Amino acid sequence: MPTPPPTMEQRAEMAARSFRNIVEGVIIHEQDERPARFRITRVYKGQLKAGMVVEAAPSWGFRDMPCPGMIPPPPNLKGQRGVIAFNDPPELAFMPDGWIAIMQQRGLIARTP
């Protein structure tokens, strides 16, 4: 019998344990010849600070893609908001809605006001 895929809760917990940085913010300059620029508005995990701007590569994030290396990730447009998780270098790996609440409930990331 095949193993069932991880639940949303299990995937959120794996992400919280796997990434050094989990931050919320907005794309202030979409990718063109340069990487996208992402302004951090809230830090859930890591040493970055709100107000910082990081250059970030595009990413498929946490979508279920069969072969993400063969198809370029979709564009990330200026004004797009969300929570990203990354180690180094930064990537626009946007997390699904609901993961932050799961991580906070389990004490895996900081609770923020």
Side-chain angles (χ1 to χ4, degrees), residues 9-25:
E9 290 79 10
Q10 290 168 326
R11 291 185 72 197
E13 187 170 334
M14 286 187 284
R17 294 184 190 285
S18 299
F19 293 98
R20 287 189 300 274
N21 300 290
I22 300 175
V23 298
E24 187 172 327

Side-chain angles (χ1 to χ4, degrees), residues 11-53:
R11 291 185 72 197
E13 187 170 334
M14 286 187 284
R17 294 184 190 285
S18 299
F19 293 98
R20 287 189 300 274
N21 300 290
I22 300 175
V23 298
E24 187 172 327
V26 61
I27 296 173
I28 58 172
H29 185 278
E30 59 194 66
Q31 181 179 357
D32 46 26
E33 301 86 42
R34 303 173 304 181
R37 294 175 51 89
F38 185 83
R39 182 182 316 276
I40 297 167
T41 57
R42 181 176 294 167
V43 177
Y44 294 104
K45 181 180 178 185
Q47 300 302 311
L48 301 173
K49 303 287 182 212
M52 292 177 78
V53 175

Side-chain angles (χ1 to χ4, degrees), residues 51-72:
M52 292 177 78
V53 175
V54 296
E55 290 188 345
S59 170
W60 278 104
F62 297 90
R63 296 182 179 119
D64 291 325
M65 278 298 299
C67 298
M70 298 185 72
I71 304 169

